[in-house]
Amino acid sequence: MRFPQKLLFVIGLSTFVEGQTGKYSAARHLWYNTPGDGFSQGLALGNGRIGALVLGSATEKIILNENSVWSGLFEDRINDASLEAVPRIRDLLMNGNLTEAGQLVLANMAANPTTSRMFGVTNDLVLDFGHSDADWQNYERWLDTLDGNAGVTYDYNGVTYNREITAKFPEGVLAVRLNASEAGSLNVTVSLSRSKGIIWQGASLENNTVTMDIGGSEAGSIAFSSAVRVIADGDITSNGTSLVVTGATTVDLFYDAESEFQWDSVDLYKSSVTSKLEAAASDGYETLRTEAISDHSSLVGRVVLDIGSSGDVGLLPTNERIEKFKEEPDNDVEFVTLTYNFGRHLLVSSSRDTGGVGLGVPANLQGIWNDNYTPPWGGKYTVNINTEMNYWLAESTNLVETLRPLWDLMERSHQRGKDVAKRMYGCPGYMSHHNLDLWGDSAPHDNGTEYTMWPMANLWLLSHMMEHYRFTGDRSFLEKSWSLFYDAATFYNCYLFKFEGYTSSGPSISPENNFVVPDDMAVARKNESIDISPTLDNSLLYEFFTNVLEIASVLQISTTGDEVLSNVQSLRDQLRPAQIGQFGQIQEWRIDYEEASPEQRHISHLWDLFPNSRFTPLINQTLADAARVSLQRRLDHGGAGTGWSRTWTAACFARLLDGNQFFNHTQILLQNHPLQNMFHSIDGSPTFQIDSNFGIVAAVTESLLQSHAGVVHLLPALPDKIPSGSFKGLVARGGFEVSASWSDGQLVSANIESRLGNALKVRVADGVEFKINGTVGDGVETAAGDIFTITV
Ligand SMILES: *[C@@H]1O[C@H](CO)[C@@H](O)[C@H](O)[C@H]1NC(C)=O
Ligand SMILES: *[C@@H]1O[C@H](CO)[C@@H](O)[C@H](O)[C@H]1NC(C)=O
Ligand SMILES: *[C@@H]1O[C@H](CO)[C@@H](O)[C@H](O)[C@H]1NC(C)=O
Ligand SMILES: *[C@@H]1O[C@H](CO)[C@@H](O)[C@H](O)[C@H]1NC(C)=O
Ligand SMILES: *[C@@H]1O[C@H](CO)[C@@H](O)[C@H](O)[C@H]1NC(C)=O
Ligand SMILES: *[C@@H]1O[C@H](CO)[C@@H](O)[C@H](O)[C@H]1NC(C)=O
Ligand SMILES: *[C@@H]1O[C@H](CO)[C@@H](O)[C@H](O)[C@H]1NC(C)=O
Ligand SMILES: *[C@@H]1O[C@H](CO)[C@@H](O)[C@H](O)[C@H]1NC(C)=O
Ligand SMILES: *[C@@H]1O[C@H](CO)[C@@H](O)[C@H](O)[C@H]1NC(C)=O
Ligand SMILES: *[C@@H]1O[C@H](CO)[C@@H](O)[C@H](O)[C@H]1NC(C)=O
């Protein structure tokens, strides 16, 4: 049935009015009145292991990813020529022959093959209803960031059709309910689709299941099995590869995929698919949905953010809000809140403690959403900023349950990285370079002087383990993690060398940046990257050695008798301190080189501003001032060119206690990077990279609550554009759960719950006077469970 023009308008309006009455909320739902056309319009959900991207098209296509479906098994790529070359390379560096050193690095240290394994698409679930989008009315599709589910609804020939998709943790299936408002009017053909490596495919009426097994050299993938189980109140027939349902009212589908990464044999991963689908079918869709929503919302719902209402603008379809935000960012402050909630939804959907022991797979460059056999940058773990950014939000926004996969990958790198340490550097212990893959492959990656040779990635990752302890006080976690810290200390104790009196690293880089070789070095005026002791290395090493000493003290491990531990303090104290260069900036390298790319997207030399803390105002104002100069120099030259770089910049301004600059970069990010489905493009192109979706959550959090300087700092960087609001459930180091509200840019009140019974120190905004439970002061002793009210 076709409606005249005027009626169509009324239908549009009625959708809008429904929105206003609470069907969709501006800070919680993504919704659209057109179907998704391609990857960047699909709605993302997941159970921590299986990711689904729901297009909502007439013939539904759900792009599916099991997070361990990568391009191949572990491959030993270590270049054994490295061992002999490293001393020669160091001599060249020390003698100022940087160009020759860089060439020797590529020729002798680049791994073979140069790249590790990559992430790949699993398959698509295709549902053909025999409907055409030319003939449907009242179409809507939505994603609920709190409940973690998505749906589609439309009218067709007078019947209302619904699809709802739910991802179930921990059982690990994806569940779909299809229904029709008129009994018997639902027809659907259910298929699995993939173009490579199908070794067996079939639709059986014995188990009402469509099964697809993948393997062999053509698969472009490790072997796996996947299946979808169909439960219908109509007739089911098979055409051999698909199941055809006719005359149904309600159809439930359960999907699972299991790979040889988690399971030791074909039999085991296949039987795991069968048993998971059997369990899901016996629980039934409704039970599974209730439990899935309860699980997802219990995590996402721990934090509630309110930074203002957008009024009617917030009720528009999400694609229209995205377009409007580009022109009028101040008119939709709730789009920032939706971005925040969406980021936390994505982390809960892509990173949970699933699979067997030690087999967690963290969110990669694409999270777990990818429709490609060769995704951008291989959909890997780029560990010179991107993977770490994915997890910045985990502690501060109360989502520690998402961290286990990261620890598991670090453990795999711990094991693989021992071989790398020994064969490339002749050292005991473990280390890793700037990319990891599923298997924890820690050998160098790619083959270029600007990125390949960075031997510090394990230290950045280890800082996350220390932060976990700072937030949770979990001593048993430290005990379990100690072997990583110890083995890393063992490596650096062997690897580091003395140069100009300093504990030095090299060959290394300030990730992905380059400089102009000065006139007294070779080859003068050439751009180079590989050098000795870039500032990032010194920052990471200083923090790492400090943490090793702290952990040893917490765990009562004696450092004196131990060959490695007894050296840690002097290694640390002989690192070159941060230098302030010719512009008043934090110097990025050991020499104040001329920058070849002053607009560089990486701000590695500001690691100690964010995520670490030694360049922050409450810790050292001199260094904070210099860090601001560095940040501004990048921006003055057109920096912050990628989503993650813009996000890092926003977080840095929050750490500089500059709320307006923080919010300016947050708005610029959201004017330029959201795709239609709110995934962020890396650079304004359709290329998706998830890091800034996650990172911006951490940056927004930093503007409201900081705790890196030994004090719970409320509203440290509140922007003028967010004069009033509230948050609930954020977490501060020391184990404090914090809620607060503010108005006219001033704190109204805050509640701080002490989880661990640590002493509490508080700071409000720029140091205004406040009361703790009615008494003026700056801190109190606490017992676990105490709650304190802060008022000004
Ligand atoms: C890496 O690049 C260097 C210089 O271009 C080349 O000599 C070397 O063979 C490359 N390594 C690999 C494994 O391709
Ligand atoms: C169909 O499923 C939706 C959820 O997707 C539900 O709200 C609705 O009540 C169901 N309709 C019928 C007729 O069962
Ligand atoms: C469902 O399919 C059957 C068999 O092809 C057909 O007779 C029937 O009209 C279809 N129902 C609808 C609502 O399209
Ligand atoms: C079964 O149906 C699907 C979906 O319509 C189709 O793609 C496939 O080719 C059919 N298979 C056979 C063996 O006819
Ligand atoms: C369903 O049954 C068919 C036929 O017996 C079998 O080949 C297939 O592996 C089964 N699928 C699952 C997931 O159990
Ligand atoms: C740099 O090292 C290469 C290889 O050892 C050598 O050929 C070249 O002359 C050196 N350049 C300078 C300026 O020392
Ligand atoms: C150094 O790099 C910059 C920035 O990429 C470039 O503009 C310049 O031409 C390069 N200089 C040389 C000598 O290659
Ligand atoms: C801050 O850092 C500067 C430069 O490293 C140093 O000289 C100064 O002592 C530090 N100040 C404090 C308070 O630590
Ligand atoms: C961010 O700041 C720049 C420089 O002051 C300004 O041109 C731009 O309009 C600001 N952007 C927003 C979204 O406020
Ligand atoms: C602080 O005051 C709140 C009421 O505002 C009260 O619930 C709480 O128990 C007090 N905390 C302590 C530790 O006395």
Side-chain angles (χ1 to χ4, degrees):
M1 187 161 71
R2 301 222 170 243
F3 290 97
Q5 212 44 43
K6 213 171 161 195
L7 266 174
L8 264 180
F9 172 76
V10 173
I11 287 162
L13 194 68
S14 92
T15 304
F16 191 62
V17 171
E18 269 174 359
Q20 279 178 326
T21 57
K23 188 166 165 193
Y24 301 118
S25 138
R28 171 170 164 180
H29 294 98
L30 286 70
W31 76 278
Y32 306 79
N33 48 31
T34 49
D37 180 13
F39 181 84
S40 61
Q41 298 185 10
L43 297 175
L45 60 139
N47 62 20
R49 185 176 63 88
I50 296 173
L53 203 77
V54 182
L55 292 189
S57 35
T59 295
E60 178 64 83
K61 176 166 138 180
I62 303 179
I63 300 163
L64 295 162
N65 287 272
E66 201 279 346
N67 63 8
S68 68
V69 173
W70 283 56
S71 63
L73 299 174
F74 173 73
E75 190 172 22
D76 179 356
R77 305 181 302 111
I78 297 171
N79 189 336
D80 289 309
S82 169
L83 188 58
E84 178 274 331
V86 169
R88 282 195 290 139
I89 292 166
R90 284 188 173 168
D91 281 343
L92 286 163
L93 290 173
M94 289 190 281
N95 292 318
N97 195 336
L98 304 188
T99 296
E100 181 63 15
Q103 290 312 302
L104 283 189
V105 165
L106 300 189
N108 298 283
M109 300 180 80
N112 191 9
T114 54
T115 64
S116 57
R117 299 305 190 184
M118 61 188 153
F119 188 46
V121 65
T122 299
N123 48 20
D124 297 333
L125 175 60
V126 179
L127 308 176
D128 188 346
F129 301 91
H131 294 169
S132 148
D133 54 13
D135 298 321
W136 62 23
Q137 290 95 35
N138 302 331
Y139 177 90
E140 281 176 10
R141 65 191 170 103
W142 51 269
L143 174 79
D144 186 335
T145 59
L146 179 61
D147 285 352
N149 55 357
V152 177
T153 179
Y154 59 90
D155 295 338
Y156 198 92
N157 283 340
V159 178
T160 301
Y161 290 90
N162 284 302
R163 310 172 196 165
E164 188 186 56
I165 302 91
T166 300
K168 179 65 165 73
F169 174 84
E171 282 88 339
V173 298
L174 190 80
V176 180
R177 166 154 287 189
L178 310 169
N179 68 17
S181 61
E182 293 277 322
S185 49
L186 176 61
N187 287 350
V188 59
T189 301
V190 178
S191 314
L192 288 173
S193 154
R194 178 179 162 104
S195 62
K196 284 187 180 182
I198 299 172
I199 48 180
W200 191 82
Q201 186 179 16
S204 165
L205 295 174
E206 278 172 41
N207 47 18
N208 286 341
T209 298
V210 177
T211 308
M212 180 183 270
D213 294 335
I214 302 299
S217 59
E218 303 299 307
S221 162
I222 64 171
F224 66 89
S225 181
S226 58
V228 57
R229 170 89 177 251
V230 178
I231 294 177
D233 55 9
D235 291 334
I236 307 180
T237 56
S238 166
N239 79 348
T241 55
S242 302
L243 288 176
V244 181
V245 180
T246 49
T249 313
T250 300
V251 176
D252 294 334
L253 309 174
F254 303 102
Y255 170 89
D256 185 34
E258 304 282 333
S259 80
E260 63 179 322
F261 173 76
Q262 278 117 356
W263 304 99
D264 289 336
S265 72
V266 178
D267 282 350
L268 281 174
Y269 68 70
K270 289 182 80 157
S271 64
S272 166
V273 172
T274 306
S275 60
K276 284 190 184 179
L277 295 185
E278 190 59 43
S282 105
D283 286 352
Y285 180 83
E286 272 152 36
T287 303
L288 206 140
R289 173 186 188 273
T290 305
E291 289 174 7
I293 288 175
S294 152
D295 170 68
H296 194 89
S297 61
S298 73
L299 293 182
V300 174
R302 281 179 193 161
V303 171
V304 180
L305 177 67
D306 175 5
I307 54 173
S309 164
S310 302
D312 288 351
V313 176
L315 302 174
L316 293 170
T318 305
N319 51 321
E320 291 176 34
R321 290 174 76 182
I322 290 169
E323 285 313 306
K324 272 191 182 293
F325 195 93
K326 292 184 203 301
E327 303 304 321
E328 298 165 343
D330 293 347
N331 287 348
D332 193 356
V333 69
E334 269 184 297
F335 187 65
V336 180
T337 321
L338 181 63
T339 296
Y340 190 91
N341 293 336
F342 183 60
R344 296 181 69 253
H345 157 75
L346 292 178
L347 190 63
V348 170
S349 302
S350 62
S351 188
R352 297 292 295 276
D353 186 359
T354 53
V357 173
L359 294 172
V361 180
N364 64 53
L365 289 173
Q366 309 256 141
I368 50 173
W369 296 279
N370 159 53
D371 65 347
N372 212 310
Y373 294 105
T374 56
W377 294 279
K380 295 184 197 183
Y381 302 107
T382 307
V383 279
N384 65 13
I385 169 69
N386 313 88
T387 303
E388 289 89 347
M389 182 177 281
N390 285 3
Y391 287 89
W392 282 351
L393 73 165
E395 307 283 355
S396 60
T397 82
N398 221 334
L399 293 177
V400 290
E401 290 84 348
T402 63
L403 281 161
R404 173 64 189 275
L406 184 65
W407 311 147
D408 283 356
L409 178 66
M410 287 173 66
E411 179 55 29
R412 296 199 286 280
S413 168
H414 177 207
Q415 297 310 325
R416 302 289 181 197
K418 289 177 185 171
D419 207 23
V420 181
K422 186 162 108 209
R423 285 163 57 195
M424 287 188 67
Y425 299 95
C427 286
Y430 94 104
M431 61 82 63
S432 61
H433 298 89
H434 93 294
N435 263 255
L436 300 174
D437 70 2
L438 174 71
W439 308 99
D441 181 340
S442 299
H445 199 257
D446 295 334
N447 195 5
T449 51
E450 288 176 11
Y451 31 84
T452 297
M453 184 36 59
W454 187 58
M456 296 279 151
N458 58 340
L459 297 191
W460 193 332
L461 290 167
L462 283 166
S463 75
H464 284 241
M465 285 188 156
M466 192 65 194
E467 287 282 68
H468 186 63
Y469 174 70
R470 294 197 181 111
F471 276 90
T472 63
D474 186 345
R475 197 171 180 276
S476 71
F477 174 79
L478 272 194
E479 274 163 11
K480 278 183 262 169
S481 311
W482 171 247
S483 67
L484 279 81
F485 283 88
Y486 186 83
D487 289 347
T490 302
F491 174 75
Y492 292 101
N493 180 51
C494 162
Y495 162 89
L496 295 169
F497 61 104
K498 264 293 170 51
F499 177 59
E500 295 177 344
Y502 296 112
T503 304
S504 297
S505 64
S508 187
I509 54 172
S510 189
E512 309 196 24
N513 205 359
N514 57 3
F515 53 82
V516 179
V517 175
D519 289 339
D520 59 352
M521 291 165 85
V523 176
R525 307 305 302 165
K526 205 166 175 305
N527 292 343
E528 289 298 347
S529 299
I530 291 178
D531 197 13
I532 294 167
S533 290
T535 297
L536 173 60
D537 290 9
N538 290 332
S539 289
L540 286 165
L541 285 162
Y542 192 95
E543 177 67 15
F544 170 69
F545 288 138
T546 303
N547 291 343
V548 169
L549 295 173
E550 185 181 336
I551 300 169
S553 143
V554 171
L555 300 182
Q556 297 177 308
I557 293 166
S558 163
T559 55
T560 46
D562 185 281
E563 198 186 327
V564 172
L565 298 179
S566 57
N567 266 344
V568 163
Q569 173 127 20
S570 74
L571 286 171
R572 183 194 71 177
D573 293 345
Q574 290 170 46
L575 288 163
R576 187 192 297 266
Q579 306 290 300
I580 295 180
Q582 59 188 309
F583 307 105
Q585 90 284 18
I586 297 287
Q587 208 171 284
E588 187 163 353
W589 294 277
R590 66 186 163 109
I591 292 169
D592 197 3
Y593 294 126
E594 182 184 329
E595 297 156 299
S597 311
E599 78 295 350
Q600 167 61 232
R601 59 203 174 274
H602 287 257
I603 44 176
S604 307
H605 51 323
L606 303 186
W607 188 80
D608 257 317
L609 173 59
F610 190 91
N612 210 44
S613 56
R614 288 196 299 141
F615 301 167
T616 57
L618 296 189
I619 292 180
N620 190 314
Q621 187 65 54
T622 308
L623 294 171
D625 290 343
R628 177 184 274 271
V629 172
S630 289
L631 199 56
Q632 197 58 50
R633 267 185 72 69
R634 286 290 209 268
L635 294 169
D636 290 347
H637 289 87
T642 60
W644 56 262
S645 180
R646 183 71 64 188
T647 299
W648 197 354
T649 300
C652 281
F653 276 116
R655 276 284 171 90
L656 288 169
L657 310 179
D658 187 335
N660 290 337
Q661 284 294 327
F662 144 74
F663 201 60
N664 179 278
H665 291 283
T666 299
Q667 289 187 318
I668 294 172
L669 175 82
L670 299 185
Q671 286 176 300
N672 292 289
H673 293 273
L675 298 165
Q676 273 208 28
N677 63 359
M678 288 188 66
F679 276 164
H680 286 178
S681 92
I682 183 161
D683 56 5
S685 75
T687 303
F688 163 49
Q689 194 165 298
I690 206 166
D691 36 29
S692 58
N693 278 107
F694 291 137
I696 196 61
V697 179
V700 169
T701 303
E702 276 313 296
S703 77
L704 303 172
L705 177 68
Q706 296 181 14
S707 60
H708 56 275
V711 52
V712 175
H713 193 173
L714 301 166
L715 309 183
L718 201 59
D720 293 339
K721 287 180 181 174
I722 310 180
S724 51
S726 64
F727 65 79
K728 169 186 156 300
L730 296 178
V731 184
R733 290 170 189 79
F736 299 101
E737 188 168 324
V738 184
S739 302
S741 64
W742 65 96
S743 170
D744 293 329
Q746 307 292 322
L747 183 76
V748 173
S749 75
N751 277 339
I752 302 180
E753 178 174 353
S754 173
R755 290 173 167 177
L756 305 172
N758 285 324
L760 170 65
K761 274 196 78 178
V762 179
R763 181 180 170 92
V764 176
D766 57 1
V768 299
E769 192 179 86
F770 60 90
K771 295 186 184 121
I772 303 183
N773 268 21
T775 308
V776 175
D778 65 356
V780 281
E781 296 299 320
T782 80
D786 281 357
I787 298 177
F788 297 90
T789 301
I790 313 294
T791 47
V792 290

